[in-house]
Amino acid sequence: MPVVQVEGVRKSFGAVEVLKGIDLTVERGEVIAIIGRSGSGKSTLLRCINGLEGIQAGSIEVSGHKLDASGRGLRELRKDVGIVFQSYNLFPHLRVGENIMLAPRVVLGVGKAEARQRAEEALAEVGLAERFEAWPDNLSGGQQQRVAIARSLAMKPKVMLFDEVTSALDPELTGEVLATMERLAEHGMTMLLVTHEMAFARRVATQTIFMHQGKVWEVGPSERLFGAPQTPELRQFLGTGLK
Amino acid sequence: MIRTFSESEFLFIVASARWTLLLTLLSLLLGGLLGFIVALARTSQLAPLRMLAAGWIGMIQGIPVLMLLFLSYYGLSMGGVDMPPIVAASVSMAIYASAYLGEIWRGSIQSVAWQQWEASAALAMSRAQQYRYVILPQAVRIAVAPTVGFIVQLVKNTSIVSIIGVVELARAGNLVNNATFAPFKVFGTVAATYFIICWPISLLARRLEGRLNARRSG
């Protein structure tokens, strides 16, 4: 059974239809990169998958939780879906460790000791084990983003969504976040990422999706998609994107 | 016969500050509770609740406190509810406080970055959990300064209840002045007493604010 199953999803903001019937299947352990121009609907698609944006038609199913236009079952679904944002969004009033322990404790109801262990494991996974007691404000952007990844990991999600997570970082810090994501992929995490890092998508993603005008324009194994793009739109996008 | 402004007059004025304090405390507790509900309603996802709270705030802020006082003292007694002046005074000051505190706290809640709502929602938190663990702790920091500013206003504005016969600080000063005709001494004492109440509140607020900010980047 696929981890994520998206069928015929349509989404409009007012009169503007940004997703025009999207179908997408993500199998366990797959890493899927979504690329495309700004405004192609790629971030919106990602945000629909954990219900941050509602959909007008179609259905989204994540590890058995079905989401439709009614919005029911949202919280159950979100327990299984981690998302990391471009702007980190750590809780500034909590230390790093507390940031990570909060949701497992109050949402999943795990005990303090187990929450702490989960947090320590998640921090170790992103290479920040020694920053448990730090305040988010005292970390670099790259470190904050890795804490945000750890905060999602501590919920033990079935799939992780990454929404342009390196767009706010300078190249040096981008590298450390991408390395963290690559390690997650190697450890078997199912991942869906919207990115402008073409080289990273090509190397790490098993599949790449090119979105254009609210549709899945072209999809395939990353190597083929980048090596031999079929549509003129993707060729043009890669041509201007890679130089 | 004109009395002289002596120790007993002085003590009478200072002692009457207890009514000012009691009034402030009661209206703050009651008004704070109501104001918190107003703030939550004002930031609710339910439009009718938001409108109701906005209506409440708009209405109370548009009415002079004096009218609230007359309404709850004379109005309710006409309707058969006999209230001692101090109760009528507390109720009207609480209603007044609820609108202003509600508005201050609404602003504080709304100045927490919207991404904080999104991040906590994405972690599957319920609306109540988002408020309890993520939004309100941040809103409190933002709210400290304006809230204390309002409390100081509240202390001073309690002087208005002297009009329905509560002998608090301002009215005590008036009574003593009528007997002694020593306005400088009398109202100097009254003013000093108000200051002694208000100053520590401001001081405490500054320390509290400093501590809350230090915690965050300490």
Side-chain angles (χ1 to χ4, degrees), chain A residues 11-241:
Chain A
K11 163 79 184 171
S12 305
F13 291 111
V16 185
E17 193 171 41
V18 288
L19 298 180
K20 301 170 181 169
I22 302 283
D23 298 301
L24 168 69
T25 304
V26 186
E27 300 290 343
R28 174 181 291 272
E30 264 193 314
V31 176
I32 296 188
I34 306 174
I35 61 172
R37 286 192 185 82
S38 304
S40 60
K42 54 194 195 305
S43 274
T44 305
L45 172 60
L46 209 64
R47 292 164 58 81
C48 285
I49 291 177
N50 75 341
L52 285 177
E53 304 284 355
I55 56 175
Q56 269 84 48
S59 72
I60 293 170
E61 197 172 334
V62 182
S63 65
H65 308 295
K66 196 154 187 148
L67 200 66
D68 53 28
S70 78
R72 278 193 302 268
L74 194 57
R75 286 190 63 207
E76 286 308 310
L77 177 141
R78 281 176 176 164
K79 288 178 188 173
D80 285 336
V81 184
I83 186 165
V84 182
F85 304 94
Q86 183 179 327
S87 52
Y88 336 135
N89 305 346
L90 296 180
F91 305 134
H93 61 297
L94 299 177
R95 290 174 193 269
V96 164
E98 296 164 332
N99 257 277
I100 303 172
M101 287 163 66
L102 180 60
R105 292 210 65 189
V106 306
V107 175
L108 304 180
V110 310
K112 194 167 186 176
E114 198 204 320
R116 191 179 172 95
Q117 196 191 338
R118 278 189 185 208
E120 283 168 351
E121 282 169 15
L123 269 181
E125 177 82 5
V126 301
L128 289 171
E130 76 290 357
R131 305 314 300 268
F132 196 92
E133 297 292 337
W135 292 100
D137 283 357
N138 294 347
L139 301 180
S140 73
Q143 289 174 327
Q144 288 191 50
Q145 194 57 295
R146 283 148 69 197
V147 172
I149 293 172
R151 184 173 65 178
S152 279
L153 286 180
M155 293 291 280
K156 299 199 189 299
K158 302 274 194 327
V159 56
M160 286 278 288
L161 312 176
F162 295 87
D163 188 8
E164 297 191 30
V165 294
T166 57
S167 297
L169 300 172
D170 63 42
E172 197 182 350
L173 301 178
T174 296
E176 69 180 54
V177 172
L178 292 182
T180 301
M181 289 164 66
E182 192 164 354
R183 189 160 63 234
L184 275 185
E186 282 162 9
H187 291 180
M189 177 59 75
T190 309
M191 292 164 50
L192 207 56
L193 46 116
V194 167
T195 186
H196 291 296
E197 301 289 333
M198 297 303 153
F200 179 79
R202 185 170 187 165
R203 190 177 74 249
V204 178
T206 47
Q207 301 251 346
T208 294
I209 292 172
F210 172 61
M211 282 188 68
H212 186 65
Q213 294 180 349
K215 290 181 186 145
V216 173
W217 205 259
E218 199 172 330
V219 58
S222 302
E223 200 50 49
R224 199 199 77 205
L225 205 97
F226 285 102
Q230 305 294 304
T231 58
E233 288 80 7
L234 178 55
R235 272 200 292 277
Q236 193 192 351
F237 176 71
L238 292 176
T240 52

Side-chain angles (χ1 to χ4, degrees), chain B residues 26-105:
Chain B
L26 280 177
S27 45
L28 201 59
L29 284 178
L30 218 65
L33 193 71
L34 199 58
F36 184 61
I37 295 169
V38 169
L40 290 185
R42 195 73 184 76
T43 55
S44 162
Q45 287 175 309
L46 303 171
L49 270 183
R50 281 202 304 273
M51 276 156 60
L52 204 68
W56 175 259
I57 292 170
M59 186 179 76
I60 302 303
Q61 290 193 341
I63 300 174
V65 195
L66 192 59
M67 295 307 124
L68 292 176
L69 192 62
F70 285 164
L71 279 170
S72 58
Y73 186 57
Y74 299 117
L76 287 179
S77 70
M78 289 281 284
V81 185
D82 208 13
M83 277 203 272
I86 184 77
V87 176
S90 302
V91 167
S92 49
M93 294 305 288
I95 289 173
Y96 154 73
S98 75
Y100 282 87
L101 289 175
E103 187 66 358
I104 289 171
W105 294 342

